Amino acid sequence: MRRVYAALFAAYGQQHWWPADSPFEVMVGAVLTQNTAWINVERALARLTESIALDPAEILALDPAVLAEVLRPVGYFNVKTRRLSVFCAYYLAAGGFAGLDARDTATLRRDLLAVQGIGPETADDMLLYAFERPIFVVDAYTRRLFARLGLIAGDEGYEQIRRALETALGPDVSLFKEYHALIVRHAKQACRTRPVCPDCLLRENCPTAPVPSMTSSLVVSG
């Protein structure tokens, strides 16, 4: 796992992810990025901040129809309007960032997952990037890459993969952030749904690559 990380980092460098000016902006972005590309989230955030300060009370004060129109670029904007409003109400009731950050990681994760519209990936985005907790975010890119490399079967549940990665790597917030970002970068560039194997820097050790090399300078191990 660490050698895969080293190879990705050597190729792509630091990704400076998650782009946000505050932990609350990270959380808003995590809600909005569900089932959409990040560029659409950036457009929606820009439209939102043109109208109001990025503050939970101000978001809740907006007319839902107005908020939905602002969030139109992210798709499913009516659903995401409801989810963002529910999250903002929860965030305020919990005492804002300070109130949530005072909770231990297990409790905070459980509480976030209890919020309507917050699933494991969204909660873990918040935990890792907003609260700086050592939780590995497992997304479709993570599952695809490690399954193709033979490091997981690919059909495991979310929690099984998350725990396996955290155990293999040890608790390291900085590593988890960068690794997740690098996986996304590589999956978009080479390890796509239809992989572009000639462009893949891990191809010599990938058992699913069409023409594997007989030699390798990179040994992939768990």
Side-chain angles (χ1 to χ4, degrees):
M1 288 289 184
R2 286 186 175 271
R3 294 192 185 195
V4 172
Y5 170 79
L8 294 175
F9 189 85
Y12 300 120
Q14 191 170 5
Q15 298 300 293
H16 304 287
W17 191 259
W18 189 296
D21 293 327
S22 69
F24 180 69
E25 184 176 342
V26 171
M27 290 182 263
V28 172
V31 173
L32 298 184
T33 199
Q34 297 172 8
N35 301 308
T36 194
W38 181 254
I39 190 171
N40 297 326
V41 177
E42 290 182 318
R43 290 171 181 156
L45 286 171
R47 285 160 61 99
L48 186 60
T49 54
E50 286 173 2
S51 306
I52 61 170
L54 197 61
D55 174 84
E58 293 209 27
I59 291 173
L60 289 171
L62 279 178
D63 183 281
V66 173
L67 181 57
E69 182 59 33
V70 169
L71 300 183
R72 183 177 288 272
V74 299
Y76 304 101
F77 50 89
N78 288 318
V79 172
K80 291 183 180 179
T81 294
R82 291 193 296 272
R83 289 180 178 175
L84 182 57
S85 296
V86 168
F87 177 74
C88 287
Y90 163 78
Y91 183 84
L92 289 173
F97 182 81
L100 291 170
D101 195 39
R103 304 176 189 185
D104 65 82
T105 300
T107 300
L108 180 55
R109 188 171 194 267
R110 181 199 65 206
D111 293 347
L112 288 171
L113 288 171
V115 179
Q116 183 182 8
I118 304 296
E121 184 180 335
T122 302
D124 292 345
D125 280 334
M126 294 179 181
L127 286 162
L128 179 60
Y129 290 101
F131 294 98
E132 304 273 329
R133 307 298 177 90
I135 298 291
F136 202 101
V137 178
V138 178
D139 56 16
Y141 299 131
T142 306
R143 187 183 297 272
R144 180 196 304 163
L145 176 63
F146 289 145
R148 284 176 175 168
L149 289 173
L151 297 176
I152 62 173
D155 58 356
E156 299 93 337
Y158 183 100
E159 296 300 327
Q160 185 179 353
I161 296 175
R162 180 180 68 82
R163 291 193 184 100
L165 293 174
E166 291 172 5
T167 299
L169 296 169
D172 189 328
V173 170
S174 296
L175 174 66
F176 289 3
K177 286 181 177 181
E178 199 62 54
Y179 209 157
H180 175 237
L182 288 166
I183 288 169
V184 172
R185 171 73 181 272
H186 184 65
K188 289 182 176 180
Q189 181 161 321
C191 198
R192 303 174 185 173
T193 304
R194 291 186 176 184
V196 187
C197 293
D199 293 345
C200 180
L201 60 105
L202 302 173
R203 64 187 178 277
E204 291 184 352
N205 293 90
C206 182
T208 61
V211 185
S213 172
M214 296 300 293
T215 61
S216 173
S217 60
L218 172 68
V219 178
V220 178
S221 59

